[in-house]
C-alpha cells in the first residue's frame, strides 16, 4: 500500500482538487502549500522540532516567518536581518518545508501537493520508499484556461500568460532546489492527463493504485 | 471507450508485453514493429493501398522492402536505386508506416506499439480523437538491466550502454519525424512506471482506463 502520495501539477490542471479527492477516498490527511506553511509555523513554536531540522534553521527566522515576513520582501538572496543563519531566505524556507514534509510523511498516511515533496521524500533515507507514490497531473491548455478563468477568476486575456508564468516559476523552483527537472517522467511513478480522464477519474486511478500496490 | 491504444516505451520497460496484455484483456488487435512492417509489405502488394498513401511512395521501393532491402544498407539519405520517389529512404519508410498505422487504426480496435503511432494518429483528421489513448511506459534502470539481460540475453557488461543507445535511437527517430520530443508528457495521456506497478498492474490500469473513458 502506498501511504504517502505526492501530487505535482501544472497550474490549472486540477491537481490540487485531485489530491483532495484522493485523500478523501483513502481517508488520508491532505496537505497543500498553505497547510505546510501552517505546519511550519506551528513547528516553529516547538524548540524540539527546530533542533531536528537538518540545516540548523534559526529560531529568529522562524519568528520572522510567524510575524509574516515573506520571501517577496527579500530578493537579495541574503539572509533576513536578525537571522543567525547565513543561508539565503529561500534556502531557509525550503529547508523548513523539507523538515515539515518529512515530519508529516512519518506521522500519518497523507497526500501532499507541491513543495518538491516528491523529491524530498524520494531522497529521504528514513522514508520507506515502497510506501511512496509520486504523481504528476497535467492537462490540455484549453482546460487549464477554462479552469483558471472560471475557478480562479483570471481575466481571459491574461490566462495563458499566467499559466505559463506560474508553471515556469514552479519549474524554476523545482530545478533550483533539486537536481532534477520538473515534470520529467523519471521523477514520478505516474503522470496523468486530467483533460482525458477527468478529476474524479484521475483521483480513482491514483487511489486504486495506492491501495493495490 | 478508447478504441485505439498506442504504447510508446523505454527499452527494457516491458512496454511491448504490457501492450500485448492490454490487447488480450480488451480483445483488441495487437501490432508491433514486425507486424506493422508485415502489414506494410502486404499493403505494398495492393495497388489500391499504394495509391492511397499520401506521399506517392513508389512501388519500386515497396518491392525492395519485400526483397528485404533494409534501412541500414542505405545511410546516404538518398532514395534507393530504382525508386521513382525523390524522398530519402527513411522518409519513405516512415510514410509507409504512417499509412499502414492509419489504415490499421481505422479498421478495428487495436493496440499499436512504437512507430510514432501516438503522433501519427493524434495528427490524423480522419481519426476520432476521443477514441485514441496514447500511453508511455518507463521503468527504473535496474529493472531495465534485468529485463534486457534475462529476456533478451544482452551481456551484463553491455546492457546499460545498449539501453541508453536504443532509447537514444528511439528518441532521435521520434524527434526527426515529428515536431515533438520523445517521452515528454504532452504527447501522451498517461505515463506509467512499470517498475512500480508491474507488467500486469500497468496493463490493468490501461485496460480499465480504455474501457471507462
Amino acid at each position: 500500500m502506498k501511504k504517502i502520495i505526492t501530487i505535482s501539477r501544472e497550474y490549472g490542471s486540477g491537481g490540487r482538487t485531485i489530491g483532495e479527492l484522493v485523500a478523501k477516498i483513502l481517508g488520508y490527511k491532505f496537505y497543500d502549500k498553505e497547510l505546510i506553511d501552517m505546519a511550519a509555523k506551528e513547528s516553529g513554536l516547538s524548540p524540539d522540532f527546530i533542533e531536528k531540522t537538518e540545516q540548523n534553521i534559526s529560531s529568529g527566522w522562524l519568528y520572522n516567518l510567524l510575524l509574516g515576513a515573506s520571501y517577496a520582501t527579500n530578493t537579495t538572496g541574503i539572509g533576513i536581518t536578525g537571522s543567525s543563519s547565513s543561508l539565503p531566505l529561500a534556502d531557509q524556507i525550503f529547508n523548513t518545508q523539507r523538515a515539515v514534509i518529512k515530519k508529516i510523511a512519518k506521522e500519518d498516511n497523507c497526500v501532499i501537493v507541491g513543495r518538491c515533496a516528491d523529491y524530498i521524500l524520494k531522497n529521504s533515507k528514513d522514508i520507506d520508499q515502497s510506501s511512496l507514490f509520486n504523481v504528476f497531473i497535467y492537462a490540455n491548455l484549453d482546460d487549464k484556461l477554462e479552469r483558471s478563468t472560471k475557478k480562479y477568476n483570471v481575466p481571459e486575456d491574461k490566462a495563458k500568460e499566467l499559466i505559463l508564468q506560474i508553471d515556469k516559476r514552479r519549474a524554476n523552483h523545482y530545478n533550483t532546489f533539486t537536481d532534477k527537472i520538473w515534470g520529467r517522467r523519471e521523477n514520478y511513478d505516474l503522470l496523468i492527463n486530467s483533460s482525458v480522464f477527468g478529476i474524479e477519474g484521475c483521483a480513482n486511478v491514483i487511489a486504486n493504485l495506492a491501495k493495490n500496490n
Side-chain angles (χ1 to χ4, degrees), chain A:
Chain A
M1 199 167 88
K2 304 294 186 189
K3 296 178 175 179
I4 311 162
I5 301 169
T6 74
I7 308 263
S8 310
R9 76 293 182 215
E10 290 181 351
Y11 178 74
S13 68
R16 192 190 171 285
T17 312
I18 291 169
E20 281 183 301
L21 255 175
V22 170
K24 201 176 162 190
I25 295 169
L26 296 172
Y28 287 14
K29 289 195 174 170
F30 175 78
Y31 295 93
D32 63 1
K33 181 180 181 293
E34 282 67 35
L35 290 165
I36 289 170
D37 287 349
M38 206 183 294
K41 286 181 187 178
E42 280 168 16
S43 298
L45 295 173
S46 148
D48 177 47
F49 175 74
I50 294 168
E51 269 178 48
K52 281 183 191 156
T53 62
E54 59 247 273
Q55 296 276 353
N56 194 23
I57 296 154
S58 75
S59 56
W61 172 72
L62 282 164
Y63 182 75
N64 278 309
L65 182 69
L66 272 169
L67 292 181
S70 79
Y71 181 31
T73 62
N74 184 310
T75 53
T76 60
I78 302 164
I80 209 161
T81 318
S83 165
S84 62
S85 166
S86 60
L87 283 171
L89 182 59
D91 289 320
Q92 294 183 39
I93 292 175
F94 182 77
N95 288 334
T96 310
Q97 285 172 345
R98 173 165 58 192
V100 168
I101 285 167
K102 287 169 78 168
K103 187 167 174 271
I104 285 168
K106 274 186 276 185
E107 272 172 5
D108 215 341
N109 295 356
C110 59
V111 176
I112 305 173
V113 174
R115 310 284 97 195
C116 307
D118 60 291
Y119 177 84
I120 289 165
L121 298 174
K122 203 172 182 174
N123 290 279
S124 291
K125 283 177 190 164
D126 45 356
I127 294 291
D128 172 9
Q129 290 297 312
S130 70
S131 71
L132 177 63
F133 181 10
N134 289 332
V135 182
F136 191 96
I137 311 281
Y138 56 108
N140 300 345
L141 182 60
D142 284 351
D143 294 302
K144 294 190 287 186
L145 288 171
E146 200 184 324
R147 193 167 282 110
S148 63
T149 51
K150 293 200 176 155
K151 193 166 176 186
Y152 303 120
N153 299 318
V154 175
E156 271 183 38
D157 59 334
K158 304 276 184 207
K160 190 175 172 184
E161 200 191 336
L162 187 85
I163 287 169
L164 295 176
Q165 271 184 355
I166 292 182
D167 278 354
K168 198 173 180 187
R169 217 186 299 157
R170 285 180 182 174
N172 285 345
H173 180 261
Y174 191 91
N175 305 350
T176 301
F177 287 105
T178 77
D179 56 359
K180 304 288 179 186
I181 295 170
W182 186 76
R184 289 275 176 90
R185 63 180 185 274
E186 57 267 29
N187 310 332
Y188 315 98
D189 306 313
L190 182 84
L191 300 93
I192 188 164
N193 186 331
S194 64
S195 294
V196 180
F197 304 112
I199 299 297
E200 283 192 23
C202 289
N204 286 330
V205 170
I206 296 163
N208 283 333
L209 283 172
K211 270 187 226 165
N212 301 324
N213 286 281

